[in-house]
């Protein structure tokens, strides 16, 4: 039975490739996707792949299957795009936000973009952000990852002309549980130039960044 | 007493000008902002300005004060930027979403961008969207405004390589009341390339679009 | 002690048989229901039966006890109704929705209806739905299962004259957690002809479909 | 400017006509829809039309515009379908649910179905329901409207083989405010054969009923 | 260190004894309470005591420690009150509600009341309730336990002159998760004579019943 | 048309009379209930009746119609029960809770019980409660009305052997808005002997009190 | 009838005087409190007093009744404490937060403290805060008032050794509606030294500040 | 890679040291922080450190690493401040609140303050609080920890002139789950002088207390 109907044309149609969200899928369904990619000689990105199956698949497939336990992402490599360095940035509030930040970073790399990551820039010590002021101002766009109260999002937006793509992370407890407080900060802020994606959705933030930076998105009023 | 400390340098620092959110401010505070702008010979955008004070100010100040009752925005004109046509688009799900869509459109115009608006493209009749397929595919970025269940957001994202900036609108009743259902659709969708702003925040969506299209945001990997 | 008072007459009274919701019941209570059915020579449907007791009971009872691990349903077979093919359809947004879809499919089969299942038809690639346009239009009624943002529900409803019975699934994370976002889409949509049941309630959707298709429900205004 | 793009083909495509949800639309937009219908010699249904514009339009257009203040619906009559009597039923929990029940009843009449309404059948006095037991059992499908705690939905479902389309109404206070308690009852009940639509959505319930009763929905396994 | 300051005088002051809510307490704290009771030759009720420590304590203390795994309650018996039969009743919607119902029953027994329990009386088959009509009408007060949508509460209240103490149980999934839907039914119903306690709080319902039935509560207007 | 089917037998069946919840009913529906009562020479209680119709009806019907603007209740008097003094009590946290407390008091009076009211006993000054300690301890049952955080409920319950029927009131702002904080206190408290009704439901609390005090509820174990 | 039992001894017992929360009280109840204060020659603070009664009372009582329309507070002056200047500060995010900030400022003045107010210090332009760095560092404690996303709270806390008493204001729309987003920021932040009070509770923040600054609160470990 | 950028200067800047919130951090990140502190000869506080890594680190580092399993805190001791006794108090509602109370107590000790803890003072038996009345009145400030309904907060505030820092704990079930009911009590109370921190945030409450008691916070108006 063919449960999985993969959208192999999505990259051509929308600029980003379909990825496999492993969470909620059975082992058989995940393997079906990998075999499909291998058959087409196509590279494949998997997200939210737990450690046990991830490492098992890496052992089985070998170096073509690059699993990263921090971000729980895997890249099946049938010839990735060469990476281009890029001034866009990923910024995180705390070190607990790294899994989400790395999901974004590895999604960007899968699409050929090499983007820097500034960790642990929470606003309780503003110097951790202002130390990076020049890079923040020079970036064409910024992915900001933060849990707890998410005050990182408006503060970064006030320091840069770049669009800030907020990724609320599920780090926190009490009223912050599951990322709700950080999400409401991203949405409620009056600091202009903040947009948001779902909680912990590093993949989605990377897709947005790719769409902003694609050649076709060159500014119509730039001439 | 000077309650209002306006951020006149915001446009230079972040690419978008500070606007006055009139809702929640007293008449005296609104006038203080207008006088401040007049003194500096500066143009000024006001959002969520109710009809009564909006029309009263228009009568008093004259043609330099352009009030639009549908979007409840006013533009104090001390020499606006010349507008540049631009292939970005604003798309709405229903005709009730027009106030929010026009807030975005007028904010873009205030910043010198002339962006088209496609109204009443709800997914219950897909032909209303697919009729515009070419324009959707050619747009560098799209602002989509929808209330009710907000299914417009993922459907548009599946049809275009452009980033979709979702603006949930507060149109709807029952579980949709206040825009919550449309907001959760914008965040929960797995269609890649959808980012969102707060409910009814046409101004914020426009700011995001301006930041994406600004010259400085030219793709680093485009060469 | 007789905790469980089974409603053996429910099928005659309401058209659908009472099923045993195994979740939350003790092993002793589940066995009590099975013994009751065996004594009456009655077939029995069990839902949300975990793998361990399900497989244990299958080993013990033998082929008369058909346990399906994907849907976590079991059918105790004391002579099921012969199945009738039927043009109704089950459609899912993603492959992670299959457990719920199969609960519906197996409930229908228990009541003598053989209904087809179209998996992985999410709206991010509309071709996955439009490929099936003829079957969608010919169906007397459709069960649609989707998690995440649930945009499948209104899009299907716009393509068919059939009633769409939405089953939000608990697939998703962040604001979609537990199926809430998909549920609010099913309720909030203005696409007419969408009704909904509880999150993950494949059983309930099947019961609704059975009631729609029963002879007694033949259209009074059809003559 | 043409804001409103009406889906005149919806009845042919999906079996129910597009209606105008007047709430949230400007007077100009409502008139635009009416003029469009008059030009096409097409009948038109408007829902959630407030008393002031409803009566003003009735005075202006005359007998062809039938406004009902209880349900806040209007029917522009350019030749309605002849009505067919039908054994389906509308049942309400309390007399405060009548506005919603009549929105359903008038939507059905607009589509040619004459359906009876049993008011004030709340479960606090079960005799109010059991008095109607024969009609409940004979109905091909039932629309049940209830606010407060909505216990009407499972109780009716236990008395009849018909599908119950629950319409939670926004009648109630405290935890029932806005219809939330009745909605959760409709979704959470384990009484099989209950489906639900959005709070106060009498129109949607009627659309669902029409789709169930349409000739094309004749039971495939009835022969 | 004496963390636990037990309110040994509570029974005299308020009519019900303080019980130990074991959940959230450490093993040392639970033992401290038991030793305190043993020292005072006082009986003691423990609720929400998990199976492992419950059975370990029973093995250690012997027959004076009566642990019931279904309700997760333990009674340390230093001479309980003689039980008095009583026409009050405990009624449950489904067999999954038994743990909560038995917590109530055992709390009543601890205070000297022997109260009957009618299980599996859900409203989807009204005969399961109406079979007991005489006992319901004769009861001085009724504890009703139900999860899912909780329609049992208003239906019982409509059949009896007794006060109905509703205990929403956490049985259910989707919108019923954690007992929220049943709780809102108990609060929102307009059937008079329903009061409610917290979700799964069988202990609290029993305390309320004890207070209603105590001699001091004899009706002032009964003479 | 007869929308309203009044449950005239409810008092005989359940011990409390059906009352008319005027909120949400049309003027015609309210008059229909009054005329029905007048025809039967029956007394009638109306709750949540706004000032304008309440005073208009009082002017029209005369002294037989007793409208109280504070509690928004009306009593149509066709011979009320003689009142019996009774030691039960109504206690309020603040003076803003009086409308709810008086709805309870007048409902009790309608059923022949004359119950005292202690206003403004909030816990921020405990002396306001302890001044009444003797009456609290002597009461067979207590209705406590409180908004804000509702700490009155557990504190009263700790001072008396009586059952405390909590009525959360919608007094408060911020997180207390609509009575939610007081409701959660009433449910979450571990002070035994607190039961609750819906927010602002003084009528329901009175019905519960009547059922507790009725002769038939005399304690079975009292002899 | 004496509904209102004023806690005249509260100032002696707890350090802050009881104030009258006018919202939700009838005109008669408010006058009763004023007369009580006049009789005792006591000053009185009223909060949330609407403009109409506030100005009416000012006209009637004269200069001893100081009503401030912005904060909706009134001070009945029977000899206030002499004011002491104090380095504590009130800081607001936007000019719409002034009503709440002034409620705090006037409550402090009523208790004899003259505290400065820095308005419009939102974090979207950090210079608005850092301009005041010296005063922030020198303050013994700071009241911060902010609506929208409330990022002001953690940013101020990172700049000062003072305790920050956050007052979320109900300024905002969408997810910020009613102050919920700002409240969750105040609670969720990991910036140490932020405590919070209820939304819009300027009075409560002032009471907290008074308690911190009272002589009795002098640091025990300071010697 | 240096993920963690520790704010070693925070104590000098804000009066409290940065602590490591271990929850959500990897073992490698926690070790990196400890090594950083050891290198600088700096003491370090870790919170929410699970038992397994806590005890492993204690075994490895030795007596300089003091892990407390109840509060899940660890103190790396490179010369702590000498402790000063202090009349401030920590009060808890129940013995289940001790983990949170001890997190506060150990944070205070880390900063040189030795603060007493009164456990099990829940309001259902007021004598448990009034026994301590003198200490409550003498305290410069009080940390109160309570789960369930949190009525401890307003009752303590009514008994003392001290500021009450409420810490809602996640102890409870049903509507109290996760600490929400206790949090809403802390925020909603009208008892003046209550401020709150996030659920279970004993660390944050201690930081607030430190800031209140620091020499710099001596009352400006005390002279």
């Amino acid at each position: 039975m063919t449960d999985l109907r993969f959208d192999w044309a999505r990259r051509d149609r929308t600029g980003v490739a379909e990825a496999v969200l492993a969470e909620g899928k059975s082992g058989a369904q995940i393997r079906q996707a990998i075999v499909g990619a291998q058959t087409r000689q196509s590279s494949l990105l998997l997200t939210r792949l737990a450690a046990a199956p991830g490492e098992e698949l890496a052992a089985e497939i070998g170096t073509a299957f690059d699993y990263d336990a921090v971000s729980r992402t895997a890249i099946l490599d049938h010839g990735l795009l060469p990476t281009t360095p890029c001034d866009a940035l990923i910024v995180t509030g705390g070190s607990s936000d790294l899994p989400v930040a790395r999901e974004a970073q590895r999604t960007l790399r899968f699409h050929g973009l090499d983007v820097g990551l500034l960790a642990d820039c929470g606003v309780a010590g503003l110097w951790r952000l202002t130390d990076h002021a020049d890079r923040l101002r020079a970036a064409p766009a910024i992915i900001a990852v933060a849990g707890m109260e998410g005050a990182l999002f408006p503060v970064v937006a006030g320091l840069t002309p770049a669009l800030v793509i907020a990724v609320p992370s599920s780090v926190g407890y009490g009223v912050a549980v599951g990322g709700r407080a950080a999400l409401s900060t991203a949405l409620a802020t009056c600091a202009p130039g903040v947009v948001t994606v779902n909680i912990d959705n590093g993949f989605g933030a990377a897709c947005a960044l790719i769409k902003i930076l694609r050649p076709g998105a060159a500014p119509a009023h730039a001439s």
Side-chain angles (χ1 to χ4, degrees), chain A residues 44-73:
Chain A
L44 187 69
L45 175 66
L46 300 99
T47 62
R48 296 185 163 241
L49 180 63
E55 278 152 20
E56 191 184 313
L57 284 162
E60 189 181 319
I61 300 174
T63 55
F65 191 88
D66 165 23
Y67 179 71
D68 173 56
V70 171
S71 60
R72 295 187 301 150
T73 53

Side-chain angles (χ1 to χ4, degrees), chain A residues 25-143:
Chain A
K25 291 203 174 57
S26 68
Q29 290 173 329
I30 293 167
R31 270 163 204 280
Q32 187 190 344
I34 292 171
V35 169
Q38 286 171 325
T39 306
R40 289 173 169 259
Q41 303 272 339
S42 208
S43 293
L44 187 69
L45 175 66
L46 300 99
T47 62
R48 296 185 163 241
L49 180 63
E55 278 152 20
E56 191 184 313
L57 284 162
E60 189 181 319
I61 300 174
T63 55
F65 191 88
D66 165 23
Y67 179 71
D68 173 56
V70 171
S71 60
R72 295 187 301 150
T73 53
I75 294 175
L76 177 76
D77 182 347
H78 275 280
L80 294 179
L81 290 184
T83 59
T84 317
C86 154
D87 290 338
L89 283 173
I90 302 172
V91 182
T92 81
S95 50
S96 304
D97 302 319
L98 276 172
V100 176
R102 285 194 180 143
E103 183 185 284
Q105 198 178 31
R106 279 174 56 89
T107 300
L108 290 165
R109 187 187 190 96
F110 182 80
H111 288 86
L113 288 168
D114 189 3
V115 171
L117 192 161
L118 308 175
D120 220 355
C121 301
V123 301
L126 280 177
W127 57 270
R128 292 191 290 210
L129 261 182
T130 49
D131 277 6
H132 299 300
D134 289 348
R135 290 185 70 186
L136 293 171
R137 275 194 283 269
I142 294 169
I143 291 174

